[in-house]
Amino acid sequence: MPWTRDDMTARAARELKDGFYVNLGIGIPTLVANHIPPGVEVTLQSENGMLGMGPYPFAGEEDADLVNAGKMTISELDASSYFNSAESFAMIRGGHIDLSVLGAMQVAANGDLANWMVPGKMVKGMGGAMDLVAGVKRVIVVMEHSEKSGRSKLVRECTLPLTGKGVVDLLITDLGVFDIDRGRSAVRLVELAPGVTLDHVRAHTEADFVTDLA
Amino acid sequence: MATKIQSDAASALAGLLFDGMTVMAGGFGLCGIPENLILAIRESGVKDLTVVSNNCGVDGFGLGLLLENGQIRKMISSYVGENELFERLYIEGQLEVEFTPQGTLAERIRAGGAGIPAFFTRTGVGTVVAEGKETREFDGETYLMERALKADLSIVKAWKGDASGNLIYRKTARNFNPMMATAGRVCVAEVEALVETGSLDKDLIHTPGVYVYRILKGPAYEKRIERLTTRPRSEKASA
């Protein structure tokens, strides 16, 4: 059984270390917050200007002035702070954030990431993703292994416009976990989702990879 | 000293609008947008605008209203995923868009207001954002030169303000507003509360009055929520 989105984000949450400052991208990565391991305390950064993001507010306590990067209503914690967008990205670009979890359309063996545009079809913009991959210490991508058409999203070379070159450290898909290491070494499959075979992964992956798994 | 206080958004913008101008508008999504000033710009009918704003509102609200009204020629933004009309106009070639990474956008505006014409950043190196831009190596790393952004007018929204134009923003509604206040040739600020001079804590002012040319108290704020997310009462606070 391949991993569900919930399983994937739970796996990503195991990469969190106590004391980390973490930025979670919009969409699936947001779910990582639901799986923070016991005993691990992290501070979530929201790129629109907040450190110490709290959970969704109780119904009736939502505040239009308090939203996350996905424009969802959130709450504050005792330790929270607010700041402007330039400060927020100084924090990101300046290397003060330990970990970022992002979604993707394509990840390449050389560590390239594409997640903001499909020319002629889908144009949403890069938001803060290019800044995050340029400045955050460790970048984890969580994505479905294949497109709906069945085409592998872990590719030899990205065909979509890039978000960053050689920026992905770790990739978690519904089939397993790949050490990308920013393209400095060969892609290594380090973990298989339960019940997923190595042959299945090979058949569904365009990029070459090595593995010690049987 | 002439008063900065204006009675309404239309008079606050009087004499400041012209076709083809560049306008910066604060806000992140619909959070912290100058909704009354946007309405007044729509009413004015000014057109061929270049608008600098992180997003472009949503269909039917915020800057989406100016888009619907055909007043925007070009947008400089980082993310426009919440606006179907925007995506359609862009793909059909009716709207020019300069996509700028969010941090680069914030810094370009900050630089514009701070008298810094350009700066170098790692963001966007090796992507389409770098096309046609100068790159330079510092300490073995490649950086991209980005130019500062300025505007003919910036419109911002704060929580509280006073007659001197001192502003305080609230929570994540601050976002791009403080930098934009500095980067407009003139800045018009709308506030939820116009308070007595002296009543704001001077240590906590986000935008000092020097940047603000005119100020008004917005008659009403819809403060629309883009994505209402809540949790049930029984659940304990986590994260």
Side-chain angles (χ1 to χ4, degrees):
Chain A
M1 273 286 284
W3 278 326
T4 62
R5 287 180 171 196
D6 220 39
D7 297 331
M8 284 154 60
T9 49
R11 178 60 190 81
R14 280 169 43 204
E15 299 295 318
L16 302 174
K17 294 199 172 75
D18 194 42
F20 263 18
Y21 289 88
V22 178
N23 182 292
L24 302 176
I26 62 176
I28 302 176
T30 308
L31 302 173
V32 172
N34 301 334
H35 299 284
I36 297 168
V40 173
E41 209 173 298
V42 299
T43 303
L44 299 178
Q45 200 250 18
S46 193
E47 67 198 27
N48 52 320
M50 183 185 198
L51 262 180
M53 199 179 5
Y56 298 146
F58 292 124
E61 289 180 8
E62 61 274 6
D63 182 340
D65 289 338
L66 183 44
V67 301
N68 65 15
K71 287 97 178 176
M72 301 154 112
T73 46
I74 49 168
S75 63
E76 63 185 20
L77 306 171
D78 286 345
S80 300
S81 58
Y82 300 108
F83 33 85
N84 68 48
S85 301
E87 173 93 50
S88 177
F89 282 92
M91 216 174 269
I92 288 168
R93 206 190 298 105
H96 306 279
I97 303 297
D98 297 294
L99 181 79
S100 177
V101 183
L102 296 169
M105 297 171 188
Q106 289 179 332
V107 170
N110 59 5
D112 290 359
L113 168 69
N115 75 353
W116 70 281
M117 183 185 195
V118 181
K121 282 192 188 145
M122 191 285 290
V123 194
K124 295 194 185 302
M126 68 290 280
M130 285 192 182
D131 307 280
L132 285 162
V133 300
V136 172
K137 289 179 198 158
R138 184 165 161 80
V139 173
I140 296 179
V141 168
V142 175
M143 69 175 189
E144 304 290 336
H145 198 86
S146 306
E147 290 172 21
K148 286 200 182 77
S149 65
R151 202 173 154 210
S152 170
K153 293 168 70 176
L154 174 53
V155 294
R156 286 196 184 94
E157 224 171 290
C158 289
T159 52
L160 296 171
L162 294 185
T163 306
K165 272 186 97 66
V167 295
V168 178
D169 290 292
L170 193 75
L171 168 66
I172 298 167
T173 78
D174 46 325
L175 301 187
V177 181
F178 298 84
D179 190 2
I180 306 292
D181 192 27
R182 306 200 171 209
R184 286 173 296 214
S185 52
V187 173
R188 180 173 292 273
L189 172 67
V190 293
E191 208 173 313
L192 284 165
V196 172
T197 64
L198 186 53
D199 284 346
H200 181 83
V201 178
R202 286 207 195 283
H204 290 87
T205 306
E206 184 197 299
D208 295 322
F209 63 88
V210 298
T211 187
D212 297 328
L213 302 174
Chain B
M1 195 163 90
T3 179
K4 296 185 179 190
I5 298 173
Q6 302 291 317
S7 55
D8 57 72
S11 40
L13 293 174
L16 302 180
L17 302 177
F18 57 93
D19 291 348
M21 72 188 298
T22 298
V23 179
M24 280 179 186
F28 181 91
L30 299 180
C31 182
I33 61 170
E35 44 182 282
N36 291 288
L37 289 162
I38 291 170
L39 283 173
I41 289 178
R42 185 184 65 170
E43 293 316 306
S44 79
V46 66
K47 57 183 194 297
D48 290 328
L49 299 175
T50 295
V51 176
V52 182
S53 192
N54 188 53
N55 318 90
C56 195
V58 296
D59 296 314
F61 194 63
L63 291 173
L65 294 170
L66 305 187
L67 203 60
E68 273 167 33
N69 211 23
Q71 292 172 272
I72 301 179
R73 184 183 64 78
K74 178 180 176 181
M75 283 297 304
I76 301 178
S77 301
S78 85
Y79 188 82
V80 296
E82 325 297 342
N83 195 316
E84 281 174 35
L85 176 67
F86 188 107
E87 202 162 346
R88 186 167 63 74
L89 290 175
Y90 175 63
I91 288 172
E92 288 171 359
Q94 296 181 55
L95 179 69
E96 199 185 324
V97 182
E98 182 180 328
F99 277 114
T100 304
Q102 195 177 155
T104 297
L105 181 63
E107 194 63 16
R108 288 177 72 191
I109 298 164
R110 195 193 73 78
I116 294 170
F119 60 92
F120 286 90
T121 175
R122 277 200 305 273
T123 302
V125 171
T127 75
V128 294
V129 166
E131 281 171 16
K133 290 175 188 161
E134 185 183 333
T135 57
R136 223 167 123 178
E137 273 202 15
F138 294 93
D139 306 321
E141 185 102 39
T142 306
Y143 291 78
L144 191 62
M145 188 174 81
E146 291 282 0
R147 297 291 307 271
L149 273 173
K150 289 195 222 182
D152 298 303
L153 166 70
S154 62
I155 54 173
V156 302
K157 191 262 168 177
W159 179 36
K160 291 179 180 175
D162 66 17
S164 303
N166 295 314
L167 304 177
I168 291 179
Y169 308 91
R170 186 170 174 273
K171 302 185 188 282
T172 57
R174 191 183 320 181
N175 55 66
F176 283 83
N177 284 296
M179 289 82 70
M180 287 186 174
T182 71
R185 191 177 53 79
V186 289
C187 169
V188 176
E190 60 171 273
V191 295
E192 287 180 56
L194 195 54
V195 302
E196 196 98 4
T197 298
S199 71
L200 295 176
D201 185 334
K202 293 157 189 64
D203 270 327
L204 297 181
I205 285 166
H206 299 130
T207 293
V210 65
Y211 299 112
V212 177
Y213 180 61
R214 290 176 183 163
I215 187 168
L216 74 138
K217 182 187 178 306
Y221 284 95
E222 182 178 335
K223 292 178 70 167
R224 198 184 286 189
I225 288 173
E226 224 164 305
R227 288 186 166 173
L228 178 62
T229 41
T230 57
R231 71 192 141 120
R233 280 274 162 197
S234 55
E235 201 181 309
K236 275 238 173 155
S238 60

